[in-house]
Amino acid sequence: MAPWLTILILVPLVGAVALALLPGKPGSGLPRQFALGVSLLTLVLTIVVAAGFDAGGGFQYVEDHTWIRSFGAHYALGVDGIGLSLVVLTALLAPVVMLASWNDGDALTGAAAGLRPEPRWSSRAFFAWMLALEGLAIGVFAATDLVLFYVFFEATLIPIYFLVAGWGGHDRSRAALKFLIYSLVGGLIMLASVVGLYVQSAKAGPPSYLISDLANLDISTNAGRWLFAGFFIAFAIKAPMFPVHTWLPDTTEQATPGTSVLLVSILDKIGTFGMIRFCLGIFPEASTWATPFVIVLALISIIYGALVAIGQNNISRLIAFTSVSHFGLIVLGIFVMNPQGQVGANLYMFNHGLSTAALFLVTGFLITRRGSALISDFGGVEKVAPVLAGLLLVSGLSSLSLPGLSPFVSEFLVLVGAFKYSAWVAALAVPAIVLAALYILLMYQRTMTGPLREHSASITDLVPREVLAIAPVMVLIVLLGFWPKPLTTVLNPAVDATLSHVGVSPAAPAVDATEGSQQ
Amino acid sequence: MNGFTAPSIEYALLAPFLIVVGAAVLGVLVEAVAPRRSRYWIQFLIAILGLAAALVSTLTTVAGRLGDQPKGTGGVIAAMGALAIDGPTVFTWGLLLILGILGLLLFAERGLEGGVTSFAGQASALPGTEAERLASAQGLEHTETFPLLMTAVSGMMLFPAANDLLTLFVALEVFSLPLYLLCGLARRRRLLSQEAALKYFLLGAFASAFLVYGIALTYGYAGSMGYAQIAEAVGSRTSGHGLLLAGIGLIAVSMLFKIGAAPFHAWTPDVYQGAPTAVTGFMASLTKVAAFGALLRIFYVAFGGARWDWLPLFYVIAILTMVVGSVLALSQSDIKRLLAYSSIAHAGFLLVGFLGARSLAASGTNDVNAVQAVLFYLVTYGFMTMAAFAIVTLVRDSSGETTALSSWAGLGKESPVVAGLFAFLLLAMAGIPLTSGFMGKLAVFTAAYRGGAGFAVVAAVLVSAVAAVFYIRLIVLMFFTERTGDGPSVATPSWMTTTVIAVGTAMTLILGLVPGPLLEMLGRVAAFIR
């Protein structure tokens, strides 16, 4: 069989290198067309892969080659339902982001000129970094060897760093550095655990970093808890959870909307994905042991993120804090350790990717038109840009989990799971829904409704390119809101496998719950 | 007395070393007879052919004779017990010779100073005098640098091969004295260079004195200079422990001085800054290789039995070295000083790997052992350091190399390729994946953790985070900071420096992607003969 996953990783990466090296005169539109073409090709290939995926078949498209025998490291790829859903999300959002950021690689003009300083490099480099990021992100979600995962995990930092520092706002260098240092520190703490796992593995025989081998290791309780902590800290920084979330608002405030989407919708999922794959997959005992602590952190993230979001005047920061709240819900769903919670969390990872992408991109169109990201600078925009206002409303409603839009299904399942775990936990998490309505609707009300403000009058409505970019995301949000079954079918077996490894028997049929919520 | 018995010398096995010594001696002769105009090329050819021949000889004869033996037995005690030619020795020889060739290319670079090498035109002319001006006006250059380099390389080859303490001492002096001299020969900023040389010489002399004292005490304890005899005494003697401990301590001081570990690191930044950059690169990479080779052998072979006496000491020193190197690097404003502190931090990481010492019985065949990990790290470190210093020689303003960090601002605009390569090397030094630096760190951390030094690994990981900050700050400076004033320009070098940069970065990339073959090869050879 063809090495499909390797192809999925290589197509964008080779595209990025080719884009960087190919000749072309500055200012030409060719580089971005090429990048969009490559990402669309990747999307087509991903759809082929997804179509051939057998929901009940465990890890598929497996490739396994010895990479570094002395370390026991393998070049091993494979996807289960969880991995596949995130690979699809990545391949889907990449062309969307590129189309939406068509002109963000160049210097801004007109009203937006004051928003960001001159880019440091050409738009060709902008799109090359985006392609590189796409390839590396697919690699992260497809890696089934810990060292390979770590390599991709760290490598994704570099494109984001350059995307923020090269094309971001006025404080971009500091924001990019803050992001990089937080992520590196997390990664290095994880490295200590990675090395520790090697020792555990070498004690048992020839060392191996394959996740399937690591999952069967007999790790002593004490060692397991320490190693778990290393992984969890890294993923909590990535996700990001309270109290290590502070890099996220600073970064999204400075980044271009497209970069923010790639960062929050895709890369931050590595955190929650890693919690499922590594924390639960390798350290079931330690994960159960840490559950109360993690749930408290998740609850704080949910409430704190939502409360702070209400107080934000900067739209990009607001969305970042809503994400902190949503990631709290995802982590809560993972660690309540029941099928409803985990299916909900996995769905949420996909749906949050969609709704946040929509929110960042639509507000990005708005911000670029006005040259300001401050809510107080807008007012009455719906009168001059009805399409934009409509799309903002839909993406906002999806972010606050309105029934009928896809995030609702996932949020509902997470809350059901939380309720099964403890009514108190659920009671503490539910106010997030009310707070979400507050921060989204207040933002909408202040920017879109009311009398038309002086500088908002010049805001034009969306151009066809922007509508085209955002349309697939909108369609999916609605479609998956009414018919989440394709996703849940793929996710359920993977969730069951995770839970039975942790020691929870997947008794309650999660699919029924999903369908029940729609009736 | 039975009269004189001629020593038996395994000439074929020692050929690589003898070729380098021979080339060095020949170089001195050439200096006496060849006319000034043709000396440069004659010296360069002798040196490069000598190194290449020695490398070929290492790869064929020596490696061939050791290759077909099972692990740990493929060694020969040569030259009446003075030298041990085994896997680690042959490997370090190969590495030293390859890095030596790269160093030689930096020494011979003439494209950066307008047709002359970057060494002083006439070292005896006082700085700032008429004689000095005359010497530069005539385009004089010192070609003695080539035999000096060859002598240093020969001493470095002897150092990790030494199998008794006396040979160890001789080797130390043979490679140190040419380095002291080379440090003082900069063409520009000569006072700084001479100060560095004097400082290095005085402190180095102290370190040698420590070594001699340590040797004397160890001899007093074991009754022999030979490593095997010392190991035997450590295993069997029950009295005189104090003598042994003092001996170990004093020998450790001199070795730690050579590798630039805290608290014996104070010379490193001054000397790295003052010495001609070609010499700095040569010294930074080759001295570490040689000194770590020797450190591993003496402590694992001779003092291996007393492991629990010296491991705690090295535990503290490894952590101290990493912390000192990384934290002080944060406040540096000169690129060469920054790289010096970075090399101190790397010495600390190497020492972490060194802590992975285990008893022979406990070391499995499947997993990474300490010797393997440290030697691998030395390969990665050697190449990236050489390439980094080669790039430092290119960044210049009207007064020569400009090493102040402030003048490196905006280099990414001035020359994206050079800045990009340097950024890549910095990422490697920081240990970011897809570079050899990450694999090296993974190897030493793994070996240390496996050897039971888990706490040192956690400390090393935290220090890596601090270290990453100053490497990345340098990248930020090059790419994201606007240049001030005229800024630096990037000189176009001849093929020599270009080769060094190309080889160094290529190795850094290749070892980052496929470290497997080299690690496995090291796994086979990384056992000392005892």
Side-chain angles (χ1 to χ4, degrees), chain A residues 29-367:
Chain A
L30 198 62
R32 61 199 84 179
Q33 288 159 14
F34 177 80
L36 183 65
V38 172
S39 68
L40 284 174
L41 175 65
T42 315
L43 178 61
V44 169
L45 291 171
T46 309
I47 291 172
V48 173
V49 167
F53 185 83
D54 168 22
F59 276 91
Q60 287 159 54
Y61 298 102
V62 173
E63 298 169 40
D64 186 357
H65 309 281
T66 302
W67 176 27
I68 314 168
R69 196 184 306 278
S70 310
F71 293 145
H74 297 244
Y75 177 78
L77 301 174
V79 284
D80 62 351
I82 302 171
L84 181 72
S85 69
L86 292 170
V87 170
V88 171
L89 180 70
T90 308
L92 178 76
L93 287 182
V96 167
V97 164
M98 283 179 195
L99 196 55
S101 319
W102 204 244
N103 299 320
D104 280 354
D106 304 317
L108 294 175
T109 49
L115 197 58
R116 293 195 283 270
E118 182 95 350
R120 292 187 199 273
W121 298 286
S122 67
S123 75
R124 168 206 293 265
F126 182 73
F127 286 96
W129 281 123
M130 284 201 167
L131 276 180
L133 186 63
E134 181 185 8
L136 295 171
I138 293 177
V140 170
F141 296 127
T144 53
D145 179 278
L146 181 52
V147 175
L148 190 64
F149 171 84
Y150 188 83
V151 166
F152 281 127
F153 175 82
E154 295 274 275
T156 53
L157 305 181
I158 295 165
I160 283 284
Y161 174 78
F162 280 98
L163 281 172
V164 175
W167 288 269
H170 292 284
D171 205 11
R172 54 194 176 188
S173 291
R174 202 188 57 81
L177 193 60
K178 186 172 183 181
F179 156 76
L180 193 62
I181 288 173
Y182 264 82
S183 304
L184 274 181
V185 168
L188 284 166
I189 293 173
M190 187 166 112
L191 183 62
S193 285
V194 171
V195 172
L197 269 178
Y198 170 87
V199 175
Q200 299 288 340
S201 174
K203 274 185 196 159
S208 163
Y209 266 126
L210 282 180
I211 296 173
S212 51
D213 290 339
L214 293 175
N216 297 323
L217 277 181
D218 186 22
I219 303 172
S220 74
T221 311
N222 203 22
R225 287 175 184 176
W226 279 109
L227 296 177
F228 166 86
F231 279 99
F232 184 78
I233 293 172
F235 294 138
I237 291 175
K238 193 87 202 169
M241 289 179 74
F242 178 88
V244 281
H245 62 280
T246 56
W247 61 270
L248 184 67
D250 289 6
T251 310
T252 56
E253 184 181 357
Q254 299 300 325
T256 64
T259 310
S260 295
V261 173
L262 296 176
L263 178 66
V264 179
S265 292
I266 299 173
L267 289 190
D268 285 356
K269 298 298 183 303
I270 299 172
T272 43
F273 172 77
M275 285 180 197
I276 298 173
R277 187 71 99 225
F278 297 98
C279 291
L280 268 58
I282 302 178
F283 312 104
E285 193 279 335
S287 303
T288 330
W289 163 77
T291 296
F293 172 73
V294 176
I295 286 186
V296 168
L297 274 189
L299 286 174
I300 297 177
S301 296
I302 295 168
I303 302 299
Y304 173 85
L307 284 176
V308 178
I310 296 174
Q312 295 303 312
N313 190 30
N314 183 302
I315 299 176
S316 305
R317 291 182 73 86
L318 185 147
I319 303 175
F321 278 109
T322 70
S323 289
V324 172
S325 176
H326 290 155
F327 275 109
L329 279 164
I330 297 177
V331 174
L332 180 68
I334 295 171
F335 275 85
V336 294
M337 304 280 183
N338 54 44
Q340 290 81 2
Q342 287 219 339
V343 171
N346 280 306
L347 272 177
Y348 214 147
M349 281 158 70
F350 192 90
N351 291 331
H352 172 261
L354 294 178
S355 71
T356 307
L359 210 48
F360 266 125
L361 293 180
V362 177
T363 56
F365 299 148
L366 182 69
I367 292 167

Side-chain angles (χ1 to χ4, degrees), chain B residues 96-121:
Chain B
L96 284 169
L97 288 168
I98 295 172
L99 290 175
I101 291 173
L102 298 183
L104 175 68
L105 292 177
L106 287 186
F107 274 48
E109 173 65 55
R110 273 171 136 180
L112 298 171
E113 293 280 0
V116 287
T117 58
S118 58
F119 293 101

Side-chain angles (χ1 to χ4, degrees), chain A residues 441-504:
Chain A
L441 295 178
L442 276 178
M443 190 236 316
Y444 183 83
Q445 185 190 4
R446 288 188 203 155
T447 53
M448 295 294 149
T449 61
L452 192 60
R453 293 278 295 273
E454 181 186 357
H455 288 284
S456 297
S458 58
I459 290 176
T460 52
D461 211 341
L462 295 187
V463 297
R465 167 182 64 79
E466 292 166 329
V467 178
L468 183 65
I470 205 84
V473 180
M474 289 296 175
V475 169
L476 270 178
I477 287 177
V478 177
L479 199 65
L480 290 173
F482 283 98
W483 195 51
K485 190 146 181 189
L487 260 182
T488 51
T489 339
V490 168
L491 288 172
N492 270 326
V495 167
D496 289 350
T498 311
L499 282 174
S500 65
H501 188 68
V502 183
V504 179

